[in-house]
Amino acid sequence: MADCIFCKIAAGEVNAKVVYEDEDTLAFIDLNPQAPTHALVIPRRHIDRLTAAQDGDAALLGKLQIAAAKVAKILKVDGAFRLVTNNGKGAGQSVDHLHYHLLGGRKLLWPPG
Ligand code: DGP
Protein backbone atom coordinates (compact mmCIF):
# COMPACT_ATOMS: atom_id res chain seq x y z
CA MET A 1 0.00 0.00 0.00
CA ALA A 2 1.56 3.26 -1.16
CA ASP A 3 0.70 5.44 1.82
CA CYS A 4 1.10 2.86 4.56
CA ILE A 5 3.90 3.64 7.03
CA PHE A 6 4.25 -0.01 8.09
CA CYS A 7 4.51 -1.13 4.44
CA LYS A 8 7.31 1.42 4.09
CA ILE A 9 9.06 0.05 7.17
CA ALA A 10 8.67 -3.50 5.82
CA ALA A 11 10.15 -2.37 2.50
CA GLY A 12 13.10 -0.68 4.25
CA GLU A 13 12.00 2.75 2.99
CA VAL A 14 11.44 4.11 6.51
CA ASN A 15 13.83 3.41 9.37
CA ALA A 16 12.78 1.39 12.38
CA LYS A 17 14.60 -0.52 15.10
CA VAL A 18 13.98 -3.99 13.71
CA VAL A 19 14.30 -6.78 16.28
CA TYR A 20 13.16 -9.73 14.14
CA GLU A 21 12.38 -10.43 10.50
CA ASP A 22 11.68 -13.33 8.21
CA GLU A 23 10.20 -13.58 4.75
CA ASP A 24 6.61 -13.03 5.90
CA THR A 25 6.84 -11.01 9.13
CA LEU A 26 8.73 -8.18 10.76
CA ALA A 27 9.01 -6.85 14.30
CA PHE A 28 10.31 -3.46 15.39
CA ILE A 29 10.29 -1.24 18.46
CA ASP A 30 7.23 1.00 18.85
CA LEU A 31 7.92 4.72 18.43
CA ASN A 32 5.63 5.53 21.37
CA PRO A 33 6.37 2.79 23.91
CA GLN A 34 3.74 1.93 26.51
CA ALA A 35 6.02 -0.42 28.45
CA PRO A 36 9.80 -0.89 28.88
CA THR A 37 9.55 -3.49 26.12
CA HIS A 38 7.12 -2.58 23.34
CA ALA A 39 7.50 -4.10 19.89
CA LEU A 40 5.11 -4.27 16.96
CA VAL A 41 4.81 -7.54 15.05
CA ILE A 42 3.43 -7.17 11.53
CA PRO A 43 2.90 -9.19 8.38
CA ARG A 44 4.96 -7.82 5.48
CA ARG A 45 1.89 -8.10 3.28
CA HIS A 46 -0.66 -5.35 3.85
CA ILE A 47 -3.81 -6.38 5.70
CA ASP A 48 -5.80 -3.48 7.15
CA ARG A 49 -6.73 -5.16 10.43
CA LEU A 50 -7.58 -8.55 11.84
CA THR A 51 -11.18 -8.36 10.62
CA ALA A 52 -9.89 -7.78 7.07
CA ALA A 53 -8.08 -11.13 7.12
CA GLN A 54 -9.48 -13.87 4.91
CA ASP A 55 -9.51 -17.66 5.26
CA GLY A 56 -6.51 -17.71 2.93
CA ASP A 57 -4.52 -15.67 5.45
CA ALA A 58 -4.64 -18.40 8.10
CA ALA A 59 -1.06 -19.56 7.54
CA LEU A 60 0.24 -15.99 7.65
CA LEU A 61 -1.63 -15.28 10.88
CA GLY A 62 -0.13 -18.43 12.37
CA LYS A 63 3.34 -17.27 11.34
CA LEU A 64 2.65 -13.95 13.02
CA GLN A 65 1.98 -15.70 16.32
CA ILE A 66 5.11 -17.81 16.02
CA ALA A 67 7.12 -14.69 15.15
CA ALA A 68 5.68 -12.92 18.23
CA ALA A 69 6.82 -15.76 20.49
CA LYS A 70 10.30 -15.53 18.97
CA VAL A 71 10.33 -11.77 19.52
CA ALA A 72 9.35 -12.25 23.17
CA LYS A 73 12.33 -14.58 23.58
CA ILE A 74 14.70 -12.24 21.73
CA LEU A 75 13.60 -9.33 23.95
CA LYS A 76 13.78 -11.56 27.04
CA VAL A 77 10.17 -11.07 28.12
CA ASP A 78 8.92 -14.54 27.19
CA GLY A 79 8.12 -15.27 30.85
CA ALA A 80 5.52 -12.48 30.98
CA PHE A 81 4.24 -10.40 28.12
CA ARG A 82 1.01 -9.30 26.46
CA LEU A 83 0.16 -9.57 22.77
CA VAL A 84 -2.71 -7.37 21.68
CA THR A 85 -4.16 -5.93 18.49
CA ASN A 86 -6.32 -2.82 18.31
CA ASN A 87 -8.97 -3.56 15.68
CA GLY A 88 -10.70 -0.38 14.52
CA LYS A 89 -10.51 3.26 15.56
CA GLY A 90 -12.78 2.71 18.56
CA ALA A 91 -10.26 0.22 19.92
CA GLY A 92 -7.38 2.65 19.41
CA GLN A 93 -6.12 1.55 15.99
CA SER A 94 -4.21 4.45 14.45
CA VAL A 95 -2.22 2.63 11.75
CA ASP A 96 -4.27 0.67 9.23
CA HIS A 97 -1.84 -2.23 8.79
CA LEU A 98 -2.44 -5.27 10.98
CA HIS A 99 -0.03 -5.26 13.93
CA TYR A 100 0.27 -6.91 17.29
CA HIS A 101 1.65 -4.93 20.20
CA LEU A 102 4.03 -7.02 22.26
CA LEU A 103 4.31 -5.44 25.71
CA GLY A 104 6.47 -6.49 28.62
CA GLY A 105 9.01 -5.45 31.20
CA ARG A 106 6.49 -4.16 33.73
CA LYS A 107 3.46 -5.44 35.60
CA LEU A 108 0.58 -5.62 33.11
CA LEU A 109 -2.80 -4.89 34.63
CA TRP A 110 -6.03 -6.65 33.78
CA PRO A 111 -8.51 -5.62 32.52
CA PRO A 112 -6.68 -3.21 30.18
CA GLY A 113 -8.14 0.28 29.76
P1 DGP B 1 -2.25 1.40 17.04
O1 DGP B 1 -2.60 2.66 17.78
O2 DGP B 1 -2.74 0.14 17.73
O3 DGP B 1 -2.63 1.47 15.58
O4 DGP B 1 -0.67 1.30 17.12
C1 DGP B 1 0.16 1.96 16.25
C2 DGP B 1 1.49 2.08 16.92
O5 DGP B 1 2.45 2.33 15.90
C3 DGP B 1 1.62 3.20 17.92
O6 DGP B 1 1.92 2.65 19.19
C4 DGP B 1 2.79 4.04 17.45
C5 DGP B 1 3.45 3.17 16.41
N1 DGP B 1 3.99 3.86 15.28
C6 DGP B 1 3.34 4.70 14.43
N2 DGP B 1 4.15 5.13 13.46
C7 DGP B 1 5.35 4.53 13.69
C8 DGP B 1 6.61 4.58 13.00
O7 DGP B 1 6.80 5.25 12.00
N3 DGP B 1 7.62 3.84 13.54
C9 DGP B 1 7.45 3.06 14.66
N4 DGP B 1 8.50 2.37 15.11
N5 DGP B 1 6.28 2.99 15.32
C10 DGP B 1 5.25 3.73 14.83
Side-chain angles (χ1 to χ4, degrees), residues 5-6 9 14-17 28-32 34 38 40 86 92-96 99 101:
I5 186 71
F6 287 179
I9 289 173
V14 168
N15 278 342
K17 191 169 175 197
F28 50 93
I29 300 299
D30 195 293
L31 207 58
N32 184 23
Q34 302 300 314
H38 187 172
L40 300 171
N86 296 327
Q93 184 176 10
S94 60
V95 177
D96 284 346
H99 53 281
H101 296 261

